[in-house]
Amino acid sequence: MGRGRLRIYLGAAPGVGKTYAMLAEAHRRVERGTDCVVACAAHHDRPRTLAALAGLERVPARQTGPGGAPGASAAGTEDSRADMDVDAVLARRPAVALVDDLAHTNAPGARNAKRWRDVEELLAAGIEVISTVNIQHLESLGDVVESITGVREPDTVPDEVVRRADQIELVDMSPQALRRRLAHGNVYRPDEVDAALSNYFRPGNLTALRELALLWTADRVDEYLQQYRGEHGIRSTWQARERIVVGLTGGPEGRTLIRRAARMAAKGSGSEILAVHIARSDGLTSASPKELAVQRTLVEDLGGSFHHVVGDDVPHALLEFARGVNATQVVLGSSRRRTWQYVLGPGVGATVARDSGTDLDVHIVTHEEVARGRGLPVARGRALGRNRVLWGWLTGVAGPALLTLLLSHTGADLGLANDMLLFLSMTVASALLGGLAPSLASAAFGSLLLNWFFAPPLYRFTVADPKNVVALAVFFGVAVAVASVVDLAARRTQQAARLRAESQVLSYLAGSVLRVGVPQAAPGGESALEALLERVRETFSMESAALLERAGDTEPWTSAGRVGPRPVDRPEDADVDVPVGDHLALALSGRVLPAEDRRVLGAFAAQAAVVLDRQKLVDQAEEARKLAEGNRIRTALLAAVSHDLRTPLAGIKAAVSSLRSDDVEWSEEDQAELLAGIEAGADRLDHLVGNLLDMSRLQTGTVTPLLRPTDLDEVVPMALGGVPDGSADLDIPETLPMVEVDRGLLERAVANVVENAVKYSPGAAPVLVSASALAQRVELRVVDRGPGVPDEAKERIFEPFQRFGDAPRGAGVGLGLAVARGFAEAMGGTLAAEDTPGGGLTMVLTLRAVPPAAPPPGVSSA
């Protein structure tokens, strides 16, 4: 009996139709004669789901009885609280069992704590299972979903359980369509719709959850594809997705190739860039680590990935990598070899193009370095150290002499062959300690000693027996060969250790610095550049490090960043300086570094230059943004002053002139009306000037909120004093947690939002001001039933001097919502606009809740 197959319907959110799709599949299988039963189905009393359940055989579920003991329920009463009766399903033994809600947690006392473990039992019994799960129930995405929705899903299922499914089908629905389903009552009861739409089922939440589901499913599809290609031995490229492999040599042409590949990828949606550098396994390469570091930064900034592959046959390794990742295109640069070097072979580009086949396109890109030469490989050797070399010479020279003295005085006649083996051991020992030179000297010295003391005739540099001549020659050759091999192995071991250390340093550089999109403030207030310089100082055990720059060749050096005590002010004063271009240098003080350390130091210097450039670009962009914003504010302010402020002034002027006129005798009612007009105009001016001053404070950054715990029901009612009675309904529960706000700023922000809502809301429909707690925050919602705002204008209405639609010119200068959002953000909150279900606009003010106070020491919280 084989294991059963598992099919899963995956959805982005509740209500997308997973259960309905599962039941529809069951009906199709029953029509084909398959023995199919419903083991459990969470219908939630939805009419369409109940209709789909009709006609299907259902195994009675088990529900929690009194006292927590499981008790059998009648068929047809299962719901989301019911547990599957595993024993009943196993006894019924259908061909296919429908098990809804794979992540469900069973009631206490059940045989398994989780429903997915029940499913494992059914699969082990050979029963095929069709199940459902939402993306938010995957265990690895719990934190991500909580950060999006503010809700922590208590029921989860391990990702591996879902990944092992034989089939995964995504049940997709756009956020707008799902919200319409909720609004029509197809998912929740009518009294639950508004709360659901306002909280979990917001358009932003649903869009983010949908993207998670699509990306997770895309990764699973890619796994299926790779598995299928591996099982069937498919080496050809399937162009299901554009993947562009860029071959990098570490030369200066790499940046051109990466940018060319990025332009190719931009022409097709979903294209992927993979940059790969093939390094030879012998450790010899002409690649520049500094240039590779810069190219890695570039490819990651463009959204690609960087890969390092070891291979002696570069064309073969490159093609194997491209076919392994199912690439569709390979981008290579024209060869940098000179004309005479083509005698040695056709080159990497030509070989890859020849062997790529018909399924892999190869692009050869020209660049400025064509035919300029590649340079010779640079060996990565390292000195063995003075003490080791000294011991090697002592062993290679004194060792054979002592051995000769020992054998001569003891009179031991071991034979020439054994004597040669003893002298050979001295040669090997000197190679292990001191390298090649001491071992060669030991081989030559040992040959002379063997000839003088042990090869007849003794004490003469002649050999009587021709066989001994051959033996001495073989000894010298073997000694030289063994010494060379031992020396090479020792150097390779040291080389590997050094390269491993270098790779760890470069890995940090790539992982923690190169991946930084823009310079961010590091912990402790230091910048990304200072963090990088501190890493350089620690890595090379230097006293201080500084990045120096100057505007021109004759200009003085200035410090762009420095760490450590007593950093230098000029590169010539440093113990080690690495130039980066013409006007930038990394200067270190403390000790002189060996030449081999400068290679890794060059990569740090290149990255320091990149971080500095980014920092300057960010500063320039921020300055340009401030200048543009200030110019726009000034232009809009002039327009506001020229019209919106003059309108109430004109009314006040006309009323005052009328009252002072001697030509007309005004009645008391007329005088009261004119005075009321003066008062209304003055109030409008006061309101406009207040908003202008508030906006000015926000623009200049002089708003300093005094945050303290506050109850919303103490502030919000005061903010409604500026709107007519009956135009707003207030719903602030007393059980809400306190919020950390500035009372004055909060009152002004709420007043602006409510006045804006009352302005656009129909007279018969009062504005609803309600509040609710969600995770660690409190939301204040201002709901109107006005005309609403299109999605593309929801952010624009918060900009200064913006008025949407056909708002009358006398309605204000468009600063109310801008000031409200500015005050909200100054207090650490947010202000956003959403559609009101049924029409209108909802303003959502999100504030930080005050965490509950911890109980005093010694007081139990029970």
Side-chain angles (χ1 to χ4, degrees):
M1 178 182 61
R3 179 179 172 86
R5 295 173 60 84
L6 175 61
R7 177 171 182 170
I8 291 179
Y9 287 94
L10 176 68
V16 296
K18 304 179 304 301
T19 303
Y20 187 83
M22 177 185 70
L23 297 175
E25 175 66 17
H27 280 286
R28 286 192 292 270
R29 298 202 179 197
V30 170
E31 291 175 359
R32 295 196 299 265
T34 304
D35 183 15
C36 183
V37 301
V38 178
C40 63
H43 52 75
H44 300 290
D45 296 326
R46 298 170 186 168
R48 296 189 63 186
T49 307
L50 290 172
L53 275 169
L56 295 175
E57 179 184 350
R58 296 153 73 180
V59 176
R62 297 181 66 87
Q63 286 187 318
T64 303
S73 68
T77 64
E78 60 271 8
D79 57 19
S80 59
R81 298 177 299 277
D83 292 341
M84 176 175 58
D85 193 337
V86 182
D87 293 329
V89 178
L90 292 174
R92 170 63 176 77
R93 198 169 188 79
V96 179
L98 273 62
V99 182
D100 203 5
D101 193 4
L102 185 64
H104 174 75
T105 300
N106 293 329
R111 60 191 298 168
N112 294 311
K114 304 290 290 188
R115 181 168 290 172
W116 64 265
R117 294 193 178 276
D118 296 338
V119 169
E120 288 292 327
E121 288 194 33
L122 301 183
L123 295 174
I127 300 174
E128 182 176 351
V129 176
I130 302 177
S131 187
T132 65
V133 70
N134 282 329
I135 194 69
Q136 65 265 28
H137 292 132
L138 294 181
E139 199 167 76
S140 66
L141 299 177
D143 295 339
V144 179
V145 173
E146 183 180 12
S147 66
I148 294 171
T149 64
V151 178
R152 182 71 179 190
E153 292 292 346
D155 295 337
T156 59
V157 57
D159 291 46
E160 186 59 28
V161 174
V162 182
R163 287 187 179 274
R164 287 200 306 262
D166 300 279
Q167 295 183 54
I168 298 177
E169 183 171 336
L170 178 65
V171 182
D172 189 28
M173 180 176 290
S174 69
Q176 294 79 8
L178 181 54
R179 284 173 60 85
R180 283 197 298 271
R181 288 197 65 196
L182 264 74
H184 294 159
N186 294 333
V187 180
Y188 294 132
R189 295 193 305 269
D191 59 330
E192 299 174 341
V193 171
D194 285 343
L197 289 173
S198 301
N199 292 283
Y200 194 91
F201 290 86
R202 302 177 187 172
N205 291 359
L206 296 179
T207 302
L209 293 174
R210 188 189 189 197
E211 183 178 12
L212 282 177
L214 291 171
L215 290 175
W216 195 93
T217 307
D219 289 341
R220 186 68 179 100
V221 170
D222 200 49
E223 290 177 11
Y224 275 133
L225 181 60
Q226 297 295 340
Q227 179 182 353
Y228 181 85
R229 286 165 53 85
E231 291 174 352
H232 293 77
I234 300 173
R235 302 297 299 164
S236 61
T237 300
W238 286 4
Q239 300 184 2
R241 180 180 181 183
E242 285 290 342
R243 285 189 174 91
I244 304 173
V245 172
V246 185
L248 301 178
T249 64
E253 78 281 359
R255 306 183 202 183
T256 302
L257 304 184
I258 293 171
R259 293 189 179 98
R260 181 71 179 90
R263 291 195 297 270
M264 295 167 56
K267 296 179 180 179
S269 178
S271 299
E272 184 178 358
I273 302 175
L274 301 94
V276 58
H277 171 66
I278 310 295
R280 297 185 184 275
S281 59
D282 59 5
L284 302 178
T285 178
S286 59
S288 168
K290 178 176 69 175
E291 186 63 31
L292 279 178
V294 174
Q295 292 171 13
R296 180 168 190 160
T297 304
L298 178 60
V299 72
E300 291 177 349
D301 287 345
L302 294 174
S305 58
F306 184 90
H307 304 268
H308 191 94
V309 177
V310 177
D312 293 323
D313 188 345
V314 174
H316 177 74
L318 183 61
L319 288 173
E320 284 296 312
F321 175 82
R323 293 192 175 104
V325 298
N326 198 26
T328 57
Q329 302 181 61
V330 175
V331 176
L332 300 174
S334 297
S335 178
R336 288 190 282 131
R337 299 194 302 172
R338 301 187 186 276
T339 304
W340 64 267
Q341 290 178 304
Y342 282 96
V343 178
L344 304 176
V348 174
T351 305
V352 170
R354 182 192 64 198
D355 299 339
S356 62
T358 59
D359 55 349
L360 193 60
D361 297 334
V362 179
H363 302 264
I364 305 297
V365 180
T366 59
H367 50 85
E368 296 179 353
E369 302 296 324
V370 174
R372 293 191 177 183
R374 296 177 56 87
L376 296 176
V378 180
R380 296 186 179 181
R382 178 184 177 183
L384 298 175
R386 181 178 300 177
N387 291 335
R388 285 194 58 177
V389 173
L390 178 60
W391 278 104
W393 280 104
L394 288 175
T395 304
V397 176
L402 293 175
L403 183 61
T404 301
L405 185 63
L406 178 64
L407 294 176
S408 299
H409 282 74
T410 58
D413 186 9
L414 302 178
L416 183 59
N418 290 326
D419 293 338
M420 287 183 178
L421 290 176
L422 291 175
F423 278 87
L424 184 61
S425 65
M426 293 291 103
T427 302
V428 173
S430 64
L432 288 172
L433 291 173
L436 184 60
S439 62
L440 292 179
S442 177
F445 187 46
S447 299
L448 295 176
L449 292 177
L450 284 170
N451 187 6
W452 183 268
F453 289 101
F454 300 103
L458 302 180
Y459 311 118
R460 296 176 60 184
F461 287 111
T462 59
V463 181
D465 190 349
K467 295 181 180 179
N468 290 338
V469 175
V470 175
L472 288 173
V474 170
F475 164 78
F476 183 78
V478 170
V480 171
V482 170
S484 301
V485 172
V486 172
D487 174 73
L488 181 61
R491 288 183 179 275
R492 287 294 185 223
T493 301
Q494 296 168 0
Q495 188 178 37
R498 175 169 182 82
L499 291 177
R500 182 169 59 251
E502 289 184 2
S503 67
Q504 292 175 352
V505 173
L506 293 176
S507 175
Y508 163 81
L509 184 64
S512 63
V513 181
L514 287 179
R515 300 180 190 277
V516 178
V518 294
Q520 301 285 344
E526 61 181 3
S527 66
L529 179 59
E530 291 173 343
L532 175 62
L533 293 176
E534 180 63 27
R535 178 66 178 183
V536 174
R537 191 181 69 84
E538 293 177 356
T539 300
F540 297 98
S541 300
M542 304 300 286
E543 182 179 347
S544 64
L547 186 65
L548 306 176
E549 62 176 343
R550 60 180 178 180
D553 294 336
T554 60
E555 298 295 327
W557 291 93
T558 59
S559 174
R562 55 176 59 189
V563 294
R566 298 181 299 278
V568 298
D569 296 323
R570 299 184 305 169
E572 50 266 30
D573 297 335
D575 294 314
V576 180
D577 71 284
V578 180
V580 187
D582 296 331
H583 303 135
L584 198 65
L586 179 63
L588 306 177
S589 60
R591 64 188 180 93
V592 178
L593 294 178
E596 54 266 25
D597 283 341
R598 292 177 179 265
R599 182 176 58 255
V600 180
L601 188 59
F604 275 102
Q607 182 56 31
V610 172
V611 173
L612 180 60
D613 288 342
R614 287 177 178 168
Q615 183 174 313
K616 290 181 178 178
L617 289 174
V618 170
D619 293 341
Q620 292 173 4
E622 180 64 20
E623 185 65 25
R625 188 194 65 80
K626 290 181 179 179
L627 291 174
E629 181 68 15
N631 185 58
R632 190 178 68 84
I633 292 295
R634 284 192 295 270
T635 303
L637 180 59
L638 289 174
V641 171
S642 65
H643 185 279
D644 294 282
L645 295 182
R646 291 180 63 184
T647 300
L649 281 174
I652 295 174
K653 173 65 175 176
V656 171
S657 299
S658 299
L659 288 173
R660 296 189 61 188
S661 175
D662 298 331
D663 301 336
V664 181
E665 186 70 27
W666 300 100
S667 64
E668 293 184 0
E669 291 79 4
D670 292 336
Q671 291 179 6
E673 184 177 353
L674 290 173
L675 291 173
I678 294 173
E679 184 178 11
D683 291 340
R684 183 184 300 175
L685 275 177
D686 179 68
H687 183 73
L688 293 177
V689 172
N691 277 334
L692 287 172
L693 292 176
D694 289 338
M695 199 66 222
S696 175
R697 292 169 59 202
L698 290 172
Q699 292 293 329
T700 56
T702 58
V703 176
T704 305
L706 178 60
L707 303 180
R708 57 181 179 179
T710 304
D711 286 318
L712 279 182
D713 56 3
E714 296 179 0
V715 179
V716 176
M718 300 173 61
L720 303 184
V723 298
D725 294 338
S727 60
D729 292 338
L730 194 59
D731 182 15
I732 308 293
E734 296 181 356
T735 57
L736 281 179
M738 302 179 75
V739 292
E740 193 172 7
V741 296
D742 183 301
R743 296 176 64 116
L745 296 184
L746 177 61
E747 181 181 346
R748 187 62 180 272
V750 174
N752 283 359
V753 173
V754 173
E755 289 174 7
N756 183 79
V758 171
K759 184 191 308 178
Y760 289 98
S761 187
V767 172
L768 174 62
V769 182
S770 62
S772 61
L774 185 64
Q776 301 300 319
R777 57 184 187 267
V778 173
E779 290 187 347
L780 182 69
R781 311 179 73 85
V782 181
V783 183
D784 68 60
R785 296 292 178 177
V789 175
D791 291 340
E792 62 272 12
K794 282 188 172 61
E795 282 299 314
R796 197 165 64 247
I797 62 177
F798 292 104
E799 297 178 4
F801 305 102
Q802 293 291 326
R803 291 181 296 187
F804 177 73
D806 56 352
R809 293 297 298 175
V813 294
L815 285 177
L817 293 182
V819 170
R821 171 174 276 192
F823 284 171
E825 293 176 350
M827 295 183 293
T830 60
L831 179 62
E834 296 180 357
D835 291 330
T836 300
L841 190 67
T842 299
M843 290 291 178
V844 184
L845 177 61
T846 304
L847 303 169
R848 290 180 300 186
V850 177
V859 178
S860 174
S861 59

